[in-house]
Amino acid sequence: MHSPTLSGSTQLDAYRPLFLPTLLIGDSRLGGISSTISAYESLSLRGYIVDALLLFREDYYQNWEYLTSYFVEKGVPVVAIPPPPARLPSNEEDMFNLESYYKGISESKSSELSEVIAQLTKRHKSRLDELDSMPSRTHTQIWWPFVQHSFMHPNPGSIAVIDSAHKDHFSIYGDHHAPGSDDAGLLLRSQFDGSASWWTQTLGHSNPTLTLAAARAAGRYGHVLFPQSTHLPALSLAETLLAGPGKGWASRVFYSDNGSTGMEVALKMALRAFTRGHPAEGKPGGDRAKKLGVLGLKGSYHGDTIGAMNACDAGDGVYTCEWHDSKGFWFDPPSLVIRDGRISIDLPQALRELASRGGVSEEGFVWTGAKGSLNAAYDVGGRLGTALAQVYREFIEHSLDNIKIEIAALVLEPLVMGAGGMVFVDPLFQRVLIDVVRSRSPLVKPSTQGRWSGIPVIFDEVFVGTYRMGHQTTSTVLGVHPDIAVYAKMLSGGLVPLAATLAKEEIFEAFVGGTKDQALLHGHSYTAYPIACEVANETLKQIRMLAQSEGWKEAASKWTGGVSPNEAAKVWSFWDPEFVDELSRLESVKEVMTLGCVLAIKIDDGGRGNNLQTSIRSLREAHAFLRFKDTDPPLHRRSWVPLGTQILTRPAPTLLVFTSVLWETSGISSPASTPNVKSLLKSRRGSSRF
Amino acid sequence: MHSPTLSGSTQLDAYRPLFLPTLLIGDSRLGGISSTISAYESLSLRGYIVDALLLFREDYYQNWEYLTSYFVEKGVPVVAIPPPPARLPSNEEDMFNLESYYKGISESKSSELSEVIAQLTKRHKSRLDELDSMPSRTHTQIWWPFVQHSFMHPNPGSIAVIDSAHKDHFSIYGDHHAPGSDDAGLLLRSQFDGSASWWTQTLGHSNPTLTLAAARAAGRYGHVLFPQSTHLPALSLAETLLAGPGKGWASRVFYSDNGSTGMEVALKMALRAFTRGHPAEGKPGGDRAKKLGVLGLKGSYHGDTIGAMNACDAGDGVYTCEWHDSKGFWFDPPSLVIRDGRISIDLPQALRELASRGGVSEEGFVWTGAKGSLNAAYDVGGRLGTALAQVYREFIEHSLDNIKIEIAALVLEPLVMGAGGMVFVDPLFQRVLIDVVRSRSPLVKPSTQGRWSGIPVIFDEVFVGTYRMGHQTTSTVLGVHPDIAVYAKMLSGGLVPLAATLAKEEIFEAFVGGTKDQALLHGHSYTAYPIACEVANETLKQIRMLAQSEGWKEAASKWTGGVSPNEAAKVWSFWDPEFVDELSRLESVKEVMTLGCVLAIKIDDGGRGNNLQTSIRSLREAHAFLRFKDTDPPLHRRSWVPLGTQILTRPAPTLLVFTSVLWETSGISSPASTPNVKSLLKSRRGSSRF
């Protein structure tokens, strides 16, 4: 079970990618009940399906008897076979004796071994039947998030049946005849998890260390209620977060269940802090408090609960619903892109005109084969004195002067707006925006006795935080701290949901008072549930080790070889610079951009979507083993982009986004030893093939 | 490790309540690496903290060497001691030989065994230091849900340090000198989980079957993204829910992360279904769509995200915040209470006047020592023809005629409004309300080609569903189905968060169309994560077994002995009727009410809160071992009510609510064999005492 293999890990972990049918051989000796159950639990912890338990029908300890009833509820059939005969003194007699023993237990159709074999066949068949029926059962009973069901079909291949997952691959059933696949005929196919399962995966699927962390907390606490109490997993995590992304500014951690609820909490904190500092705005629940607005960027996304939605621009009206009531003002931001090997800034119309009137050049940065210029573009501190910064400043000041609504918070996804279209916002614009907002509203007015009185700055780091962008917090790159920040997704290792909202002590103090109604009256039943906190603690521990690893340093050095104005703030990507450069020069590719684990590719389809197939084919020529599943309209659904890859056709051109797990633990090799990212786009084999 | 005990369970489970320090003795023989790691994993699955691993320094297999490095990352020190000498032929020599072996490994201060003992002492001390420091660290770094922090203190006893939890008890550290405690001096004290950890617990804390289910799914999948794909845990759970609470009406399951997000989804479903059926109301995002309202009851609660809050009455303005914008009309509902052994209906002023003008008596039901009358009160079908039903009908019709806003959904917590004050609403009122709403808006208008056109009815069964009230759905009691229903809390066994929103096919069809923006554009990263789905599947399986058990039947029969108009719809409580009767007659108790796992006790303190201590003392006289932690103002915080017990002082009188887990699995005994609930209020011992 757990005997070491040559790779250093134990057999259970080493063989896990194969996800083989499992027959557990139990122990009929003294102590065998214990070792058999423990073995079963070790198998379960790694997701193995135990199809049957086989052991000797030993009559003194009768382990089989206890184990048979023990495993009834677990659905594992126990088969006991007669033990082998005692050894005879004569070799010849012994051989004869054994031979007849083997015949006895195997040849008869009613023998126990036949029963086992029949059992295995039956379970295998029913497993296949189950897998076969899953698409149609899903098609009629499941209501998916974000899916237009009229585009879906119950036939195999339309709905991905995920039989298991390991590291950065799904094991998918039922797509036996996928065109272009070189493993046609296999029942299970390994498929790259194109979006790291909506950006949640950190150390890869089914990581045994994280599973054990979850099990440990489940076994010690289950869930325990949190108000007025404490437990070690939640407290340790809070301390790690305050010493990590919260270092230098945050003093409090509030837990909730996902990025959207974490943002609702952040917004409640910010709005209340603002109104406590500005009592004239009226009390909570009052009409004026209902109309307070936020500042943000167009294209931002903070989750799908109504409060989080209200902090986003309604945009083109696609991502909206009946109660959605956007409250705020959103800037159209400049963004960074790589085209034909050059990094440049795309300025929106208004800014371009302003820059042009002011005689400011477009300040493109030439990106010369992976060296330096990415870090020049992200050298926020160094760029603060440029003419473009001044243009940003004037533009923002002017806009703020003309906003009619009361602004109570600034809400940003720092560096990258993920769900809104993977927009790599010019970090200089975000930095100037924060600086201007803070200069207009002093953080703490002396007259209010230390009470908060400014406009709080919220960083939504749900997508970009916890090392997705290569940094534990993007504050390091922007060079400023928020007043409130939210973490989720990768935080809990891609296993279970958890969000943490961090806040400055002054924000917290806005809720401290003599009555309960001044408190933050928000909470979810499973707040700070020990499993998620323990998994997050383990995840952050593993990432800290990775961040110190040679592999990471080497990958980073490929991007930071040149300019490194501020060592701690340097940016880098897990994707190889040569590959990114090559991609950006492809005719079918309009632009690319990358940071950390994310690679975004915009495909030039002339805005019509017609050339999409052609473009995708070009990518395939670049050895990209892609499977196209997520598009709208359905026309393209059978093409070649990994499941989960984010594909946006609105706004045109089409955008493909790949997100990987943190590679070094994702198995095959470190980014340093796989400099050719093409081989990563090419699906890695290993699962379900042997 | 897993050897069977006399109780039938294995040692690891049987000893778990003691939560002892653990020294794992490893196996140095062939195969010993495997059995040692498996043993460690079985311990971890039950939350045991392994303080050290001890094994023989056997030189051929050298298991200690591999295990030492294997356990480094897990923080478990491995100590290898010399193996015992080979047996000598002479008994005397052998004895002498062994004696000198034992001396050698134990007496020297530098021996390995001394190292182990020093290690254990050191770890024990650092564990106590950690526990000692937790209150002050928590006090300065954690921001709790729903807590006014100015009421809290960092001293031990103010913040409950939960060291572990088992079945329906916490193991609390640091409250060594609690007055009245008969275990003063113990470092850890067992304390009843008064609210079943905000009503999440189903089968008790740290249930090994649920832990294993969680581990199984983590090991097989981790999390895998859900749109356009499927996996067995999510699909099986959907089928179980559709065949369970969704039977007869629902056809679709949408997953999210908690009750609040589940309700946001339900509201989005209902509002869209309404607007698709009433195109004149304008499209989503439009001004008219923003103002659509819901019908509901005063005192309702649906969660703390803004959308869920907007579906609730702002009430007295305590539970509100800046963006809260209540949209709807809420009825002041009649409720059922037990006073002095009688069940009666408390009518709000308006209804009382209407009933009195119509010559309708107050229709109290006399509750005669546990027999029958609870079921008479809940015989909704039978009561539909009464004069009171007619009063309800006229009142509702009249109110609806005068509502000025556009109503797009009816949103109810059936039978009991939990967080809003544990109000046991007269089920007849809810039934009549549903009937009236449906009669005024036919569900499907023929003219709209099968499209939904009515006002959808949403059941928020987050608190009352999944057997908390003794039924898998309260629909059975009300005698009508909803169009949309939400489940959470107990659904996932009190281990991890999960919500499921069930919907009718007609509701689903309102989102089916030719463009993506017609779809339900709501989703969370961890939607349908396999761990929660697998835990929910196991939970529902265990509850089904419980519901068939003799213990449940016997407990139910105590309440249903008399009238049983509709066998399937009969109601009952886990709390013993004699005890409830006795409670309701106490001078200090104003009224009580109970259903399923919930017991609510209203204490008559004359609205001033002054007599609260006296009242609590009366309860203590009734052997209630209560610890008072949750009150506002802080005055009462050191009294005697279990942690987590819901205590509401607003509106007066004070309300105490106890919620138990489903008892039969909660350990000690079935409700049938502990008919005296007093002994349940009295904290059950077992943890941390031996």
Side-chain angles (χ1 to χ4, degrees):
Chain A
M1 200 68 58
H2 266 313
S3 292
T5 63
L6 291 179
S7 74
S9 66
T10 76
Q11 292 190 104
L12 277 193
D13 290 325
Y15 298 153
R16 169 59 182 76
L18 304 176
F19 203 62
L20 297 166
T22 308
L23 173 67
L24 175 60
I25 309 297
D27 187 347
S28 56
R29 297 168 304 173
L30 177 62
I33 288 179
S34 181
S35 58
T36 304
I37 295 175
S38 279
Y40 171 78
E41 291 177 349
S42 290
L43 283 160
S44 298
L45 272 164
R46 284 151 189 88
Y48 287 90
I49 302 167
V50 177
D51 286 311
L53 169 61
L54 182 68
L55 81 172
F56 290 134
R57 184 183 292 264
E58 196 278 342
D59 279 335
Y60 186 75
Y61 296 114
Q62 301 198 328
N63 293 353
W64 57 273
E65 202 174 55
Y66 183 85
L67 291 171
T68 299
S69 76
Y70 187 91
F71 280 105
V72 161
E73 203 195 286
K74 299 183 162 52
V76 180
V78 176
V79 182
I81 59 170
R87 187 170 194 129
L88 296 180
S90 138
N91 268 355
E92 203 175 327
E93 279 179 299
D94 192 54
M95 206 176 78
F96 180 79
N97 202 20
L98 264 181
E99 207 163 290
S100 92
Y101 165 76
Y102 284 127
K103 269 195 186 156
I105 61 166
S106 63
E107 286 193 354
S108 152
K109 283 207 172 164
S110 63
S111 75
E112 290 88 348
L113 266 194
S114 308
E115 195 188 314
V116 174
I117 290 162
Q119 188 65 248
L120 292 180
T121 308
K122 193 180 132 203
R123 285 176 72 109
H124 186 65
K125 191 178 172 311
S126 75
R127 192 164 165 233
L128 293 185
D129 289 346
E130 174 106 63
L131 287 164
D132 276 330
S133 68
M134 284 175 69
S136 60
R137 287 154 63 197
T138 300
H139 189 255
T140 54
Q141 298 178 101
I142 291 292
W143 190 337
W144 284 298
F146 281 106
V147 169
Q148 175 47 265
H149 281 252
S150 71
F151 298 169
M152 301 300 297
H153 302 283
N155 52 303
S158 168
I159 296 170
V161 177
I162 301 177
D163 185 50
S164 69
H166 192 251
K167 292 185 172 162
D168 53 5
H169 278 68
F170 301 121
S171 178
I172 305 265
Y173 175 82
D175 201 12
H176 322 325
H177 307 291
S181 161
D182 54 0
D183 49 7
L186 287 179
L187 293 183
L188 293 172
R189 217 162 49 75
S190 183
Q191 196 179 95
F192 182 62
D193 179 359
S195 68
S197 282
W198 272 356
W199 315 322
T200 59
Q201 298 305 301
T202 313
L203 306 167
H205 295 278
S206 308
N207 180 295
T209 306
L210 298 189
T211 301
L212 204 62
R216 196 161 64 217
R220 181 166 174 181
Y221 308 92
H223 170 54
V224 293
L225 91 170
F226 197 53
Q228 304 189 346
S229 70
T230 189
H231 55 80
L232 203 50
L235 177 57
S236 299
L237 179 58
E239 290 177 335
T240 302
L241 290 171
L242 293 176
K247 191 175 177 184
W249 65 276
S251 70
R252 294 280 168 178
V253 177
F254 191 105
Y255 291 110
S256 67
D257 295 338
N258 57 44
S260 194
T261 59
M263 279 302 296
E264 297 249 345
V265 168
L267 289 161
K268 287 185 179 186
M269 287 177 177
L271 299 179
R272 176 68 54 88
F274 177 83
T275 57
R276 298 268 336 242
H278 301 78
E281 312 315 325
K283 59 175 187 179
D287 277 342
R288 202 155 165 188
K290 285 177 194 168
K291 288 177 185 154
L292 292 170
V294 300
L295 277 185
L297 303 183
K298 281 180 186 162
S300 57
Y301 170 85
H302 304 298
D304 299 319
T305 55
I306 296 290
M309 289 177 73
N310 287 354
C312 297
D313 184 24
D316 58 7
V318 174
Y319 291 90
T320 191
C321 67
E322 278 68 14
W323 274 2
H324 183 194
D325 188 6
S326 292
K327 296 164 195 282
F329 177 86
W330 294 269
F331 291 93
D332 197 2
S335 58
L336 291 174
V337 295
I338 303 174
R339 279 193 209 99
D340 297 330
R342 290 174 76 250
I343 295 187
S344 61
I345 300 171
D346 266 3
L347 291 177
Q349 185 65 21
L351 274 170
R352 201 180 312 140
E353 282 167 17
L354 209 62
S356 154
R357 274 207 303 275
V360 181
S361 79
E362 273 202 20
E363 295 198 32
F365 293 82
V366 179
W367 184 68
T368 53
K371 296 289 177 206
S373 60
L374 189 71
N375 271 289
Y378 280 90
D379 174 18
V380 179
R383 290 178 56 205
L384 273 175
T386 61
L388 186 61
Q390 191 51 33
V391 168
Y392 286 171
R393 208 167 282 125
E394 281 164 21
F395 176 72
I396 292 165
E397 292 275 12
H398 178 78
S399 302
L400 293 182
D401 288 341
N402 289 284
I403 293 174
K404 295 284 171 263
I405 52 169
E406 192 100 47
I407 295 296
L410 169 60
V411 190
L412 295 174
E413 290 161 274
L415 303 195
V416 183
M417 297 193 290
M422 211 54 69
V423 178
F424 287 71
V425 181
D426 183 1
L428 180 64
F429 186 81
Q430 293 189 321
R431 169 62 183 270
V432 171
L433 180 55
I434 295 164
D435 289 351
V436 168
V437 166
R438 285 189 167 159
S439 71
R440 289 166 70 108
S441 71
L443 298 192
V444 177
K445 278 187 196 152
S447 64
T448 52
Q449 294 171 308
R451 272 267 165 74
W452 180 272
S453 73
I455 291 174
V457 177
I458 302 174
F459 280 4
D460 176 350
E461 293 211 273
V462 170
F463 169 58
V464 297
T466 350
Y467 289 95
R468 180 60 76 207
M469 294 292 134
H471 285 272
Q472 65 175 337
T473 169
T474 53
S475 294
T476 316
V477 180
L478 286 179
V480 282
H481 292 308
D483 305 306
I484 299 165
V486 185
Y487 302 90
K489 289 191 184 284
M490 284 174 72
L491 172 64
S492 43
L495 202 58
V496 291
L498 180 72
T501 304
L502 273 59
K504 271 204 172 114
E505 192 69 8
E506 293 92 327
I507 301 283
F508 171 76
E509 280 165 6
F511 291 81
V512 174
T515 59
K516 183 152 183 173
D517 60 4
Q518 290 174 286
L520 180 48
L521 302 174
H522 187 116
H524 301 283
S525 304
Y526 286 89
T527 296
Y529 65 112
I531 290 183
C533 293
E534 187 76 355
V535 169
N537 282 321
E538 190 66 48
T539 300
L540 296 176
K541 178 181 151 194
Q542 298 287 333
I543 300 181
R544 277 195 303 276
M545 284 159 52
L546 274 177
Q548 298 303 317
S549 70
E550 283 311 306
W552 275 45
K553 284 180 192 159
E554 206 176 316
S557 72
K558 295 194 173 187
W559 290 94
T560 56
V563 187
S564 288
N566 176 350
E567 201 56 28
K570 70 192 180 187
V571 296
W572 58 291
S573 163
F574 282 91
W575 303 83
D576 188 86
E578 303 299 336
F579 173 65
V580 174
D581 180 80
E582 190 182 324
L583 267 184
S584 80
R585 295 172 195 276
L586 287 179
E587 201 178 339
S588 57
V589 168
K590 184 169 180 258
E591 61 198 40
V592 299
M593 193 58 200
T594 185
L595 268 189
C597 303
V598 176
L599 172 66
I601 307 167
K602 279 195 186 155
I603 291 173
D604 195 356
D605 66 349
R608 297 183 312 277
N610 302 1
N611 299 326
L612 200 55
Q613 291 286 7
T614 322
S615 309
I616 297 291
R617 223 170 290 132
S618 314
L619 281 175
R620 281 177 66 196
E621 282 158 19
H623 306 290
F625 184 79
L626 304 171
R627 181 129 195 290
F628 206 175
K629 296 275 304 183
D630 238 3
T631 52
D632 169 9
L635 173 66
H636 307 301
R637 244 179 301 133
R638 296 287 313 170
S639 312
W640 292 95
V641 170
L643 177 65
T645 301
Q646 190 194 26
I647 296 179
L648 300 171
T649 50
R650 220 180 306 216
T654 296
L655 174 69
L656 309 176
V657 182
F658 303 101
T659 311
S660 69
V661 302
L662 300 176
W663 286 346
E664 199 169 54
T665 51
S666 84
I668 309 308
S669 50
S670 72
S673 61
T674 50
N676 192 344
V677 184
K678 293 176 198 171
S679 71
L680 254 141
L681 287 178
K682 192 171 169 198
S683 182
R684 290 198 214 112
R685 302 317 154 120
S687 311
S688 317
R689 284 200 88 193
F690 51 96
Chain B
M1 199 67 59
H2 266 314
S3 292
T5 63
L6 291 178
S7 74
S9 66
T10 77
Q11 292 189 106
L12 277 193
D13 290 326
Y15 298 152
R16 169 59 183 77
L18 304 177
F19 204 62
L20 296 167
T22 308
L23 172 67
L24 175 60
I25 309 296
D27 188 346
S28 56
R29 298 168 303 175
L30 178 63
I33 289 179
S34 181
S35 58
T36 305
I37 296 175
S38 279
Y40 171 79
E41 291 176 350
S42 290
L43 283 161
S44 298
L45 272 164
R46 284 152 189 88
Y48 287 90
I49 302 167
V50 177
D51 287 308
L53 170 60
L54 183 68
L55 81 171
F56 289 134
R57 184 182 291 266
E58 197 276 341
D59 279 336
Y60 186 76
Y61 296 115
Q62 302 197 327
N63 292 354
W64 56 274
E65 202 173 55
Y66 182 85
L67 290 172
T68 299
S69 75
Y70 187 90
F71 280 105
V72 161
E73 204 195 286
K74 299 184 162 52
V76 180
V78 175
V79 182
I81 59 171
R87 188 172 192 129
L88 297 179
S90 140
N91 266 356
E92 203 174 329
E93 280 177 297
D94 193 54
M95 206 174 79
F96 180 79
N97 202 21
L98 262 183
E99 207 163 291
S100 92
Y101 166 75
Y102 283 127
K103 269 194 186 155
I105 60 166
S106 62
E107 287 192 354
S108 152
K109 282 205 172 167
S110 63
S111 75
E112 290 88 348
L113 265 194
S114 307
E115 193 190 315
V116 174
I117 290 162
Q119 188 64 249
L120 292 180
T121 308
K122 192 181 133 203
R123 286 176 72 107
H124 185 64
K125 191 178 172 312
S126 75
R127 193 165 164 233
L128 294 185
D129 289 346
E130 174 106 63
L131 288 164
D132 276 330
S133 69
M134 284 174 69
S136 62
R137 287 155 62 198
T138 300
H139 189 255
T140 55
Q141 298 178 100
I142 290 293
W143 190 336
W144 285 297
F146 282 106
V147 169
Q148 175 46 265
H149 281 250
S150 70
F151 299 169
M152 301 300 297
H153 303 282
N155 52 303
S158 168
I159 296 170
V161 177
I162 301 177
D163 184 52
S164 70
H166 191 252
K167 292 186 171 162
D168 52 7
H169 278 67
F170 300 121
S171 178
I172 306 265
Y173 175 82
D175 201 11
H176 321 326
H177 307 290
S181 159
D182 54 0
D183 49 8
L186 287 179
L187 292 183
L188 294 171
R189 218 160 48 74
S190 182
Q191 195 178 95
F192 182 61
D193 179 359
S195 69
S197 282
W198 273 356
W199 314 322
T200 58
Q201 298 305 302
T202 313
L203 306 166
H205 294 279
S206 308
N207 180 294
T209 306
L210 298 190
T211 302
L212 203 62
R216 195 160 66 217
R220 181 166 173 182
Y221 308 93
H223 170 53
V224 293
L225 92 169
F226 197 53
Q228 305 188 347
S229 70
T230 190
H231 54 80
L232 203 50
L235 178 57
S236 298
L237 179 58
E239 290 177 334
T240 302
L241 289 171
L242 293 176
K247 191 175 178 186
W249 64 277
S251 71
R252 294 280 168 176
V253 177
F254 190 104
Y255 292 109
S256 67
D257 295 338
N258 57 44
S260 195
T261 58
M263 279 303 295
E264 296 250 346
V265 168
L267 289 161
K268 287 185 179 184
M269 288 177 176
L271 299 179
R272 176 68 53 88
F274 177 83
T275 57
R276 300 264 343 236
H278 301 78
E281 311 314 326
K283 60 176 187 180
D287 277 342
R288 199 156 167 187
K290 285 176 192 166
K291 289 177 184 154
L292 292 170
V294 300
L295 276 185
L297 304 183
K298 281 180 185 162
S300 57
Y301 170 86
H302 304 298
D304 299 319
T305 54
I306 297 289
M309 289 178 74
N310 288 353
C312 298
D313 184 23
D316 57 8
V318 174
Y319 291 90
T320 190
C321 67
E322 278 67 14
W323 274 2
H324 183 195
D325 188 7
S326 292
K327 298 163 193 283
F329 177 86
W330 294 270
F331 290 94
D332 196 3
S335 58
L336 292 174
V337 296
I338 303 174
R339 280 193 209 99
D340 297 330
R342 288 173 78 248
I343 294 186
S344 62
I345 300 170
D346 266 4
L347 291 176
Q349 187 64 20
L351 274 170
R352 201 181 313 141
E353 281 167 16
L354 208 62
S356 155
R357 273 206 303 276
V360 180
S361 78
E362 272 201 23
E363 293 198 34
F365 294 84
V366 179
W367 185 66
T368 53
K371 297 288 178 205
S373 60
L374 188 72
N375 271 289
Y378 280 90
D379 173 18
V380 178
R383 290 177 57 205
L384 274 174
T386 62
L388 185 62
Q390 191 51 33
V391 168
Y392 288 170
R393 208 167 282 123
E394 282 165 19
F395 176 73
I396 291 165
E397 291 275 12
H398 178 78
S399 303
L400 293 183
D401 288 341
N402 290 284
I403 293 175
K404 296 283 171 267
I405 51 169
E406 192 99 46
I407 295 295
L410 169 59
V411 189
L412 295 174
E413 290 161 275
L415 304 193
V416 183
M417 297 193 291
M422 211 53 69
V423 178
F424 287 71
V425 181
D426 183 359
L428 180 64
F429 186 81
Q430 292 188 321
R431 169 63 183 271
V432 171
L433 179 55
I434 295 164
D435 289 351
V436 168
V437 165
R438 285 188 167 160
S439 71
R440 289 167 71 110
S441 72
L443 299 193
V444 178
K445 277 187 197 152
S447 64
T448 52
Q449 294 170 310
R451 273 268 165 75
W452 180 271
S453 74
I455 292 175
V457 176
I458 301 174
F459 279 4
D460 176 350
E461 292 212 274
V462 171
F463 169 58
V464 297
T466 348
Y467 288 96
R468 182 59 77 207
M469 295 291 135
H471 285 271
Q472 66 175 335
T473 169
T474 53
S475 294
T476 316
V477 180
L478 286 178
V480 282
H481 292 308
D483 304 306
I484 299 165
V486 185
Y487 301 89
K489 288 189 184 284
M490 284 175 72
L491 172 64
S492 42
L495 202 57
V496 290
L498 180 72
T501 304
L502 273 60
K504 271 203 172 117
E505 192 69 8
E506 293 92 328
I507 300 283
F508 172 76
E509 280 165 5
F511 291 81
V512 174
T515 59
K516 184 152 184 174
D517 60 4
Q518 290 175 287
L520 180 47
L521 301 174
H522 186 116
H524 301 283
S525 304
Y526 286 89
T527 297
Y529 66 111
I531 291 184
C533 294
E534 188 75 355
V535 169
N537 283 322
E538 189 66 49
T539 300
L540 296 176
K541 178 181 152 195
Q542 297 288 332
I543 300 181
R544 277 196 301 276
M545 285 160 52
L546 275 178
Q548 298 304 317
S549 69
E550 283 310 307
W552 276 44
K553 284 180 191 160
E554 209 177 316
S557 73
K558 295 194 173 189
W559 290 96
T560 56
V563 187
S564 288
N566 175 350
E567 202 58 26
K570 69 191 179 186
V571 296
W572 58 291
S573 163
F574 282 91
W575 303 84
D576 187 86
E578 303 300 336
F579 174 65
V580 174
D581 180 81
E582 192 182 324
L583 268 184
S584 80
R585 294 172 195 276
L586 288 178
E587 202 178 338
S588 58
V589 168
K590 185 170 180 255
E591 60 198 41
V592 299
M593 193 58 200
T594 185
L595 268 189
C597 302
V598 176
L599 172 65
I601 307 168
K602 279 195 187 155
I603 291 172
D604 194 357
D605 67 349
R608 297 183 311 276
N610 302 0
N611 299 326
L612 199 56
Q613 291 287 8
T614 323
S615 308
I616 297 289
R617 223 169 291 133
S618 313
L619 280 175
R620 282 177 66 196
E621 282 158 19
H623 307 289
F625 184 80
L626 304 171
R627 180 131 194 288
F628 206 176
K629 296 274 306 183
D630 237 2
T631 52
D632 170 10
L635 174 67
H636 307 301
R637 242 179 302 133
R638 296 286 313 170
S639 311
W640 291 96
V641 170
L643 179 64
T645 302
Q646 190 194 26
I647 297 178
L648 300 171
T649 50
R650 220 179 305 217
T654 296
L655 174 70
L656 309 176
V657 182
F658 303 101
T659 312
S660 69
V661 302
L662 300 177
W663 287 347
E664 199 170 54
T665 51
S666 83
I668 310 306
S669 49
S670 72
S673 61
T674 50
N676 192 344
V677 183
K678 293 175 198 172
S679 71
L680 255 141
L681 287 178
K682 192 172 168 197
S683 181
R684 288 197 214 112
R685 303 315 155 121
S687 311
S688 318
R689 283 199 89 194
F690 50 96

